[in-house]
Amino acid sequence: MEWARRAACAHEDPELFFPLTATGPALRQEHDAKRVCLSCPVTRQCLAWAIDSGQTHGIWGGTSERERAELRRVTAFRDARLNAWAPGAVTRTGRSEKACVQEMDLAQMALRRVVPDP
């Protein structure tokens, strides 16, 4: 994890990045931690590491536990679509490929809001 040495959070109190709850004063703490991530040069590497290693607690790569869970869900959906569905096919749930692609596009737009392009 060479990138971790360059992380903006390396000089912050680690407790800032691990709110105890997802409500009340902890929301302010989450916001403050994400503000540090906004200026970080390794946000993408951090987020990739958090997802790949299954981090379920804390703020990583500018994302909360809830946001990473959503990213994992979207990634699993995208991977399933790319690996299993033929063009023009109808999914097992009866949804058209077009509807699935539209949902994937919306999820990708949401990801860009969480982790903007450099």
Side-chain angles (χ1 to χ4, degrees):
M1 290 187 1
E2 172 66 28
W3 56 264
R5 290 189 207 136
R6 298 188 328 260
C9 63
H11 307 291
E12 298 286 335
D13 180 356
E15 289 186 19
L16 174 65
F17 298 89
F18 294 92
L20 296 177
T21 67
T23 61
L27 288 177
R28 177 67 179 172
Q29 183 179 349
E30 180 179 308
H31 174 78
D32 292 346
K34 287 180 177 183
R35 190 173 332 135
V36 173
C37 296
L38 284 175
S39 66
C40 185
V42 295
T43 302
R44 287 181 176 266
Q45 293 96 322
C46 181
L47 178 57
W49 180 83
I51 290 174
D52 291 346
S53 64
Q55 296 301 309
T56 57
H57 300 289
I59 305 300
W60 294 92
T63 62
S64 66
E65 296 100 343
R66 295 175 315 281
E67 292 162 335
R68 286 192 305 282
E70 180 65 14
L71 290 173
R72 282 191 292 274
R73 185 191 71 75
V74 168
T75 301
F77 171 80
R78 183 200 64 214
D79 291 348
R81 180 195 167 275
L82 293 174
N83 293 328
W85 301 336
V90 173
T91 68
R92 287 178 286 220
T93 61
R95 294 175 58 220
S96 70
E97 180 189 23
K98 181 178 180 181
C100 294
V101 169
Q102 288 170 338
E103 182 178 332
M104 186 173 67
D105 289 343
L106 289 173
Q108 287 173 340
M109 288 184 338
L111 174 60
R112 280 189 222 110
R113 282 194 309 265
V114 172
V115 183
D117 289 329

Short mmCIF file of all heavy atoms in Angstrom, two decimals, residues 56-89:
data_model
loop_
_atom_site.label_atom_id
_atom_site.label_comp_id
_atom_site.label_asym_id
_atom_site.label_seq_id
_atom_site.Cartn_x
_atom_site.Cartn_y
_atom_site.Cartn_z
N THR A 56 -15.70 -2.76 5.60
CA THR A 56 -17.11 -2.49 5.89
C THR A 56 -17.29 -1.39 6.93
O THR A 56 -18.42 -1.07 7.28
CB THR A 56 -17.82 -3.77 6.37
OG1 THR A 56 -17.13 -4.28 7.51
CG2 THR A 56 -17.85 -4.82 5.27
N HIS A 57 -16.20 -0.85 7.43
CA HIS A 57 -16.29 0.22 8.43
C HIS A 57 -15.40 1.37 8.02
O HIS A 57 -14.35 1.18 7.41
CB HIS A 57 -15.87 -0.28 9.81
CG HIS A 57 -16.71 -1.40 10.31
ND1 HIS A 57 -18.01 -1.23 10.72
CD2 HIS A 57 -16.46 -2.72 10.42
CE1 HIS A 57 -18.52 -2.39 11.08
NE2 HIS A 57 -17.60 -3.31 10.91
N GLY A 58 -15.84 2.57 8.34
CA GLY A 58 -15.01 3.75 8.13
C GLY A 58 -15.20 4.42 6.79
O GLY A 58 -15.93 3.95 5.91
N ILE A 59 -14.53 5.55 6.67
CA ILE A 59 -14.53 6.34 5.44
C ILE A 59 -13.26 5.97 4.68
O ILE A 59 -12.15 6.11 5.20
CB ILE A 59 -14.53 7.85 5.75
CG1 ILE A 59 -15.70 8.23 6.66
CG2 ILE A 59 -14.53 8.67 4.46
CD1 ILE A 59 -17.08 7.94 6.10
N TRP A 60 -13.42 5.48 3.47
CA TRP A 60 -12.30 5.09 2.62
C TRP A 60 -12.55 5.65 1.24
O TRP A 60 -13.64 5.48 0.68
CB TRP A 60 -12.19 3.57 2.52
CG TRP A 60 -11.84 2.89 3.80
CD1 TRP A 60 -12.71 2.39 4.73
CD2 TRP A 60 -10.53 2.65 4.31
NE1 TRP A 60 -12.01 1.86 5.78
CE2 TRP A 60 -10.67 1.99 5.54
CE3 TRP A 60 -9.25 2.92 3.84
CZ2 TRP A 60 -9.58 1.61 6.31
CZ3 TRP A 60 -8.17 2.53 4.60
CH2 TRP A 60 -8.34 1.89 5.82
N GLY A 61 -11.57 6.30 0.67
CA GLY A 61 -11.72 6.82 -0.69
C GLY A 61 -12.88 7.79 -0.82
O GLY A 61 -13.51 7.88 -1.87
N GLY A 62 -13.19 8.49 0.24
CA GLY A 62 -14.27 9.47 0.20
C GLY A 62 -15.66 8.87 0.27
O GLY A 62 -16.64 9.54 -0.03
N THR A 63 -15.76 7.59 0.65
CA THR A 63 -17.06 6.93 0.70
C THR A 63 -17.33 6.34 2.08
O THR A 63 -16.41 5.93 2.79
CB THR A 63 -17.15 5.78 -0.32
OG1 THR A 63 -16.17 4.79 -0.01
CG2 THR A 63 -16.96 6.28 -1.74
N SER A 64 -18.61 6.28 2.42
CA SER A 64 -19.05 5.68 3.68
C SER A 64 -19.31 4.19 3.45
O SER A 64 -19.27 3.70 2.32
CB SER A 64 -20.33 6.34 4.16
OG SER A 64 -21.39 6.05 3.26
N GLU A 65 -19.63 3.50 4.53
CA GLU A 65 -19.98 2.08 4.42
C GLU A 65 -21.16 1.89 3.47
O GLU A 65 -21.15 1.00 2.62
CB GLU A 65 -20.36 1.49 5.79
CG GLU A 65 -19.24 1.47 6.78
CD GLU A 65 -19.32 2.63 7.79
OE1 GLU A 65 -20.03 3.62 7.53
OE2 GLU A 65 -18.64 2.53 8.83
N ARG A 66 -22.17 2.75 3.62
CA ARG A 66 -23.38 2.64 2.78
C ARG A 66 -23.04 2.85 1.31
O ARG A 66 -23.53 2.14 0.44
CB ARG A 66 -24.42 3.68 3.22
CG ARG A 66 -24.97 3.47 4.61
CD ARG A 66 -25.92 4.61 5.04
NE ARG A 66 -25.45 5.97 4.76
CZ ARG A 66 -24.54 6.62 5.49
NH1 ARG A 66 -23.98 6.05 6.54
NH2 ARG A 66 -24.18 7.85 5.18
N GLU A 67 -22.21 3.85 1.04
CA GLU A 67 -21.86 4.15 -0.35
C GLU A 67 -21.05 3.03 -0.98
O GLU A 67 -21.27 2.67 -2.14
CB GLU A 67 -21.11 5.47 -0.42
CG GLU A 67 -21.99 6.64 -0.08
CD GLU A 67 -21.24 7.90 0.28
OE1 GLU A 67 -20.08 7.81 0.73
OE2 GLU A 67 -21.83 8.98 0.14
N ARG A 68 -20.13 2.43 -0.21
CA ARG A 68 -19.36 1.31 -0.76
C ARG A 68 -20.24 0.09 -0.99
O ARG A 68 -20.06 -0.63 -1.97
CB ARG A 68 -18.18 0.96 0.15
CG ARG A 68 -17.06 1.99 0.05
CD ARG A 68 -15.79 1.51 0.72
NE ARG A 68 -15.97 1.10 2.10
CZ ARG A 68 -16.07 1.92 3.14
NH1 ARG A 68 -16.02 3.24 2.96
NH2 ARG A 68 -16.22 1.45 4.36
N ALA A 69 -21.20 -0.13 -0.12
CA ALA A 69 -22.13 -1.25 -0.33
C ALA A 69 -22.89 -1.05 -1.64
O ALA A 69 -23.09 -1.99 -2.41
CB ALA A 69 -23.10 -1.38 0.84
N GLU A 70 -23.31 0.18 -1.91
CA GLU A 70 -24.01 0.49 -3.16
C GLU A 70 -23.07 0.29 -4.35
O GLU A 70 -23.48 -0.26 -5.39
CB GLU A 70 -24.55 1.91 -3.13
CG GLU A 70 -25.28 2.32 -4.38
CD GLU A 70 -26.56 1.54 -4.64
OE1 GLU A 70 -27.05 0.85 -3.72
OE2 GLU A 70 -27.08 1.62 -5.76
N LEU A 71 -21.83 0.72 -4.24
CA LEU A 71 -20.87 0.51 -5.33
C LEU A 71 -20.64 -0.97 -5.60
O LEU A 71 -20.55 -1.40 -6.75
CB LEU A 71 -19.55 1.20 -5.01
CG LEU A 71 -19.56 2.72 -5.03
CD1 LEU A 71 -18.24 3.27 -4.53
CD2 LEU A 71 -19.87 3.25 -6.41
N ARG A 72 -20.56 -1.76 -4.53
CA ARG A 72 -20.40 -3.22 -4.71
C ARG A 72 -21.62 -3.80 -5.41
O ARG A 72 -21.49 -4.66 -6.28
CB ARG A 72 -20.15 -3.90 -3.37
CG ARG A 72 -18.73 -3.76 -2.87
CD ARG A 72 -18.45 -4.65 -1.68
NE ARG A 72 -19.17 -4.26 -0.48
CZ ARG A 72 -18.75 -3.35 0.39
NH1 ARG A 72 -17.61 -2.74 0.19
NH2 ARG A 72 -19.47 -3.06 1.44
N ARG A 73 -22.81 -3.33 -5.02
CA ARG A 73 -24.03 -3.84 -5.64
C ARG A 73 -24.05 -3.50 -7.13
O ARG A 73 -24.33 -4.34 -7.98
CB ARG A 73 -25.27 -3.25 -4.96
CG ARG A 73 -26.58 -3.84 -5.49
CD ARG A 73 -27.78 -3.06 -4.98
NE ARG A 73 -27.90 -1.74 -5.57
CZ ARG A 73 -28.32 -1.51 -6.82
NH1 ARG A 73 -28.65 -2.50 -7.61
NH2 ARG A 73 -28.41 -0.27 -7.28
N VAL A 74 -23.70 -2.26 -7.45
CA VAL A 74 -23.70 -1.81 -8.84
C VAL A 74 -22.65 -2.58 -9.64
O VAL A 74 -22.90 -3.00 -10.76
CB VAL A 74 -23.45 -0.29 -8.91
CG1 VAL A 74 -23.14 0.16 -10.32
CG2 VAL A 74 -24.65 0.45 -8.36
N THR A 75 -21.49 -2.78 -9.05
CA THR A 75 -20.43 -3.51 -9.74
C THR A 75 -20.85 -4.94 -10.00
O THR A 75 -20.63 -5.47 -11.10
CB THR A 75 -19.12 -3.47 -8.92
OG1 THR A 75 -18.76 -2.10 -8.73
CG2 THR A 75 -18.00 -4.20 -9.61
N ALA A 76 -21.46 -5.57 -9.03
CA ALA A 76 -21.94 -6.94 -9.22
C ALA A 76 -23.00 -6.99 -10.32
O ALA A 76 -23.00 -7.89 -11.16
CB ALA A 76 -22.51 -7.50 -7.91
N PHE A 77 -23.89 -6.02 -10.32
CA PHE A 77 -24.92 -5.93 -11.36
C PHE A 77 -24.28 -5.79 -12.73
O PHE A 77 -24.61 -6.49 -13.67
CB PHE A 77 -25.84 -4.74 -11.05
CG PHE A 77 -26.80 -4.44 -12.15
CD1 PHE A 77 -27.97 -5.18 -12.29
CD2 PHE A 77 -26.56 -3.41 -13.04
CE1 PHE A 77 -28.86 -4.90 -13.31
CE2 PHE A 77 -27.44 -3.13 -14.06
CZ PHE A 77 -28.60 -3.88 -14.20
N ARG A 78 -23.32 -4.86 -12.85
CA ARG A 78 -22.64 -4.63 -14.12
C ARG A 78 -21.91 -5.89 -14.59
O ARG A 78 -22.02 -6.29 -15.74
CB ARG A 78 -21.65 -3.48 -13.99
CG ARG A 78 -20.96 -3.16 -15.32
CD ARG A 78 -19.67 -2.39 -15.13
NE ARG A 78 -18.73 -3.22 -14.42
CZ ARG A 78 -17.85 -2.78 -13.56
NH1 ARG A 78 -17.77 -1.52 -13.28
NH2 ARG A 78 -17.03 -3.60 -12.95
N ASP A 79 -21.19 -6.53 -13.68
CA ASP A 79 -20.45 -7.73 -14.04
C ASP A 79 -21.39 -8.84 -14.50
O ASP A 79 -21.10 -9.54 -15.47
CB ASP A 79 -19.59 -8.21 -12.88
CG ASP A 79 -18.45 -7.27 -12.58
OD1 ASP A 79 -18.18 -6.36 -13.40
OD2 ASP A 79 -17.82 -7.42 -11.52
N ALA A 80 -22.50 -9.00 -13.81
CA ALA A 80 -23.47 -10.02 -14.21
C ALA A 80 -24.02 -9.72 -15.60
O ALA A 80 -24.17 -10.61 -16.43
CB ALA A 80 -24.60 -10.10 -13.19
N ARG A 81 -24.30 -8.46 -15.84
CA ARG A 81 -24.82 -8.07 -17.15
C ARG A 81 -23.80 -8.35 -18.25
O ARG A 81 -24.11 -8.91 -19.29
CB ARG A 81 -25.18 -6.58 -17.17
CG ARG A 81 -25.73 -6.17 -18.53
CD ARG A 81 -25.74 -4.64 -18.64
NE ARG A 81 -25.97 -4.27 -20.01
CZ ARG A 81 -25.03 -4.18 -20.94
NH1 ARG A 81 -23.79 -4.45 -20.66
NH2 ARG A 81 -25.33 -3.85 -22.17
N LEU A 82 -22.57 -7.97 -18.01
CA LEU A 82 -21.54 -8.14 -19.03
C LEU A 82 -21.21 -9.61 -19.27
O LEU A 82 -20.88 -10.00 -20.38
CB LEU A 82 -20.27 -7.39 -18.63
CG LEU A 82 -20.40 -5.87 -18.61
CD1 LEU A 82 -19.12 -5.25 -18.06
CD2 LEU A 82 -20.73 -5.31 -19.98
N ASN A 83 -21.32 -10.44 -18.26
CA ASN A 83 -20.92 -11.84 -18.37
C ASN A 83 -22.04 -12.78 -18.78
O ASN A 83 -21.77 -13.86 -19.29
CB ASN A 83 -20.33 -12.33 -17.05
CG ASN A 83 -19.02 -11.64 -16.76
OD1 ASN A 83 -18.28 -11.31 -17.66
ND2 ASN A 83 -18.74 -11.42 -15.48
N ALA A 84 -23.29 -12.40 -18.55
CA ALA A 84 -24.35 -13.37 -18.73
C ALA A 84 -25.44 -13.00 -19.73
O ALA A 84 -26.14 -13.88 -20.21
CB ALA A 84 -25.01 -13.66 -17.38
N TRP A 85 -25.61 -11.75 -20.05
CA TRP A 85 -26.75 -11.37 -20.86
C TRP A 85 -26.34 -11.11 -22.30
O TRP A 85 -25.38 -10.43 -22.58
CB TRP A 85 -27.42 -10.13 -20.31
CG TRP A 85 -27.90 -10.30 -18.90
CD1 TRP A 85 -28.21 -11.44 -18.27
CD2 TRP A 85 -28.10 -9.25 -17.95
NE1 TRP A 85 -28.59 -11.20 -16.98
CE2 TRP A 85 -28.53 -9.86 -16.76
CE3 TRP A 85 -27.95 -7.89 -17.99
CZ2 TRP A 85 -28.84 -9.15 -15.63
CZ3 TRP A 85 -28.25 -7.17 -16.86
CH2 TRP A 85 -28.69 -7.81 -15.70
N ALA A 86 -27.13 -11.62 -23.19
CA ALA A 86 -26.91 -11.36 -24.62
C ALA A 86 -27.60 -10.05 -24.99
O ALA A 86 -28.60 -9.67 -24.39
CB ALA A 86 -27.49 -12.50 -25.44
N PRO A 87 -27.08 -9.33 -25.99
CA PRO A 87 -27.73 -8.08 -26.41
C PRO A 87 -29.20 -8.31 -26.77
O PRO A 87 -29.54 -9.27 -27.43
CB PRO A 87 -26.92 -7.67 -27.64
CG PRO A 87 -25.58 -8.30 -27.44
CD PRO A 87 -25.87 -9.61 -26.73
N GLY A 88 -30.04 -7.42 -26.28
CA GLY A 88 -31.47 -7.51 -26.57
C GLY A 88 -32.20 -8.52 -25.70
O GLY A 88 -33.40 -8.73 -25.85
N ALA A 89 -31.49 -9.17 -24.80
CA ALA A 89 -32.09 -10.21 -23.99
C ALA A 89 -32.99 -9.62 -22.91
O ALA A 89 -32.90 -8.45 -22.58
CB ALA A 89 -31.01 -11.05 -23.32
#
